[in-house]
Amino acid sequence: MLEKFLDMSLVQRIGCGILIGIILGIFLPTWGFIALLGTLFVSCLKAIAPLLVFFLTAASIAKHKMGNETFVKPILGLYLSGTFLAAFVAVITSSIFTVPITLQETASEQAPQNIGTVLSTMLTNVTQNPIQAIIDSNYLGVLFWAVLLGLALRTRTEATKEVIDQISVALSQVVQLIISFAPIGILGLVYESIATTGLSGLTEYLQLVLVLVGTMLFVALVIYPLLTFLFIKENPYPLIFFCLKESAISAFFTRSSAANIPINMMLAEKLKLTKESYAISIPLGATINMGGAAVTITVMTLTTVQALGIEASFGLKLILSILAALAACGASGVAGGSLLLIPLACSLFGISNDIAMQVVGIGFIIGVIQDSVETALNSSSDLLFTAIGELGARKRNGEAVSIKSRLSEL
């Protein structure tokens, strides 16, 4: 049985881990040490990710040859347009489906009061002390200092560049070792969810959960495939399903885009993407590519607007989608980080902070589903947009590249 298990693909082994975690969570809910397996797995990924990003980015830039093309610009455009489209779809969905909620829960978390606060925090994070940025997993700061170091190293000797490159290779091997334990880690995460959180409270807000999840699935299976087709002029679904299977599943259970960065980088390498591009775009995407967060902010805000009987014009809702997209780019990387931006969006409709924070409380109740699906959408699209941004640019330059052929080689 062990040999058969090891012969399975990583996704199949993760599936076994999910099934075992559900069974153990139902029948042995008091065995708390099983949950420790999930905690350790996520902690290892979060710990190694900032170091991997720093050295991989610095090495890629240091060894970059003049004339070699990078594809960060089109990928960045995809991140921003994808996040806005997700928010816009959420506006339409919320206009069609009215979800009743009872505003009675309270929450104590502090939320930003205006978009200037969000943007100011982002800019401050860029120039944070590089050591502290690595410790705090502040990827804007990590990328900023890694890029500067990489540029400075370009004038150094080849031996110096090779040392940095070999460190990044060694870190990649450590990441692969950690990822090989994903089935055990995800078993622990599933067990903890079933044994402690369960589905309590979800039934009361089932309609809200269905609207949120349905909107995110529509974005993942309709909007993003449309963007993919426009960029690569191929059937988008093989790549879509590859990203969902290989990246979204792990992101769903870790509920952390930061923890999924090493997995996405490994997958980008498997797709034979340019290291100079994905070393920057994937950690950057974990910070600003937030389609799922934009959906959450928009749906929860418009649900509050409907519950209070406030009349909102389509123009105001359109402004909300722009605000939600911008705010989502500054969402905290912690689980439920997008929820704390709901008061900011609610202020657009004159809703008080006290009422908005009650909605945040509801968000934390349904977070076991909402935040998992949101993270899966966010993180898998980091890989998707990195792939189509590069392949689309290569095709426009006349290169004969095909996502179908690359997937067939895996």
Side-chain angles (χ1 to χ4, degrees):
M1 288 181 65
L2 180 60
E3 288 180 357
K4 289 183 178 180
F5 179 76
L6 294 176
D7 286 340
M8 293 179 179
S9 68
L10 180 61
V11 173
Q12 290 174 322
R13 280 181 277 154
I14 288 174
C16 293
I18 293 170
L19 181 61
I20 295 171
I22 292 173
I23 294 172
L24 293 176
I26 294 173
F27 294 103
L28 300 171
T30 58
W31 289 21
F33 68 89
I34 298 176
L36 183 61
L37 299 172
T39 302
L40 291 174
F41 175 67
V42 174
S43 296
C44 287
L45 283 176
K46 285 185 174 181
I48 197 67
L51 280 174
L52 176 68
V53 169
F54 184 85
F55 282 100
L56 192 61
T57 302
S60 297
I61 293 175
K63 300 190 74 174
H64 176 71
K65 304 296 183 182
M66 294 299 293
N68 289 354
E69 188 176 7
T70 58
F71 307 94
V72 175
K73 187 180 295 184
I75 295 170
L76 182 60
L78 281 165
Y79 284 165
L80 298 178
S81 59
T83 301
F84 169 73
L85 286 173
F88 185 71
V89 168
V91 166
I92 296 174
T93 304
S94 297
S95 300
I96 297 173
F97 300 100
T98 301
V99 180
I101 59 171
T102 302
L103 300 177
Q104 56 187 5
E105 298 291 334
T106 59
S108 59
E109 285 80 3
Q110 295 297 314
Q113 298 299 309
N114 54 67
I115 193 67
T117 303
V118 176
L119 296 177
S120 176
T121 300
M122 289 178 65
L123 292 174
T124 302
N125 286 341
V126 170
T127 54
Q128 185 181 26
N129 179 289
I131 305 299
Q132 194 63 45
I134 292 174
I135 293 172
D136 294 343
S137 296
N138 166 22
Y139 288 97
L140 288 178
V142 170
L143 281 172
F144 176 74
W145 294 111
V147 168
L148 288 185
L149 177 62
L151 291 173
L153 286 171
R154 293 181 68 173
T155 59
R156 301 299 92 191
T157 64
E158 290 299 320
T160 302
K161 297 177 187 178
E162 188 63 25
V163 169
I164 301 297
D165 185 58
Q166 288 303 309
I167 292 175
S168 71
V169 170
L171 287 170
S172 298
Q173 292 175 343
V174 172
V175 167
Q176 291 175 359
L177 176 63
I178 295 170
I179 292 173
S180 67
F181 287 94
I184 298 174
I186 289 178
L187 183 157
L189 293 169
V190 173
Y191 171 86
E192 183 179 20
S193 179
I194 296 295
T196 59
T197 308
L199 299 178
S200 60
L202 289 181
T203 52
E204 182 181 354
Y205 301 108
L206 182 59
Q207 284 182 271
L208 181 57
V209 171
L210 290 175
V211 170
L212 282 166
V213 173
T215 303
M216 292 181 198
L217 288 176
F218 184 84
V219 170
L221 298 175
V222 178
I223 301 301
Y224 287 173
L226 180 60
L227 274 176
T228 302
F229 177 76
L230 291 174
F231 260 72
I232 64 175
K233 301 297 189 296
E234 290 183 55
N235 177 6
Y237 286 100
L239 180 59
I240 294 291
F241 291 137
F242 173 82
C243 293
L244 292 177
K245 183 180 72 171
E246 301 287 345
S247 176
I249 291 177
S250 57
F252 180 91
F253 290 105
T254 61
R255 293 174 63 183
S256 170
S257 293
N260 218 44
I261 287 174
I263 295 174
N264 278 344
M265 285 192 164
M266 181 188 70
L267 294 171
E269 185 177 9
K270 287 176 66 175
L271 288 171
K272 298 180 180 177
L273 301 179
T274 305
K275 184 182 290 188
E276 288 92 337
S277 294
Y278 73 71
I280 296 174
S281 67
I282 286 179
L284 186 62
T287 304
I288 68 170
N289 180 38
M290 293 289 169
V295 168
T296 296
I297 295 167
T298 304
V299 169
M300 297 291 279
T301 299
L302 290 180
T303 297
T304 309
V305 169
Q306 293 165 354
L308 296 174
I310 299 173
E311 291 293 331
S313 66
F314 181 78
L316 192 57
K317 291 178 180 178
L318 181 61
I319 294 174
L320 170 65
S321 64
I322 298 172
L323 176 64
L326 290 173
C329 292
S332 169
V334 301
S338 60
L339 297 174
L340 297 179
L341 292 167
I342 292 172
L344 169 60
C346 283
S347 66
L348 184 65
F349 299 89
I351 299 172
S352 71
N353 192 63
D354 290 339
I355 294 176
M357 289 307 288
Q358 293 177 38
V359 183
V360 175
I362 294 173
F364 280 110
I365 293 173
I366 64 173
V368 64
I369 299 295
Q370 167 269 323
D371 194 50
S372 297
V373 178
E374 176 186 311
T375 307
L377 176 63
N378 290 342
S379 192
S380 62
S381 61
D382 293 345
L383 176 64
L384 173 68
F385 291 154
T386 295
I388 65 176
E390 175 174 337
L391 295 177
R394 288 187 180 279
K395 283 193 171 187
R396 286 190 293 274
N397 291 340
E399 296 184 40
V401 293
S402 169
I403 192 61
K404 183 179 179 180
S405 62
R406 295 201 178 191
L407 290 175
S408 65
E409 294 173 3
L410 299 179

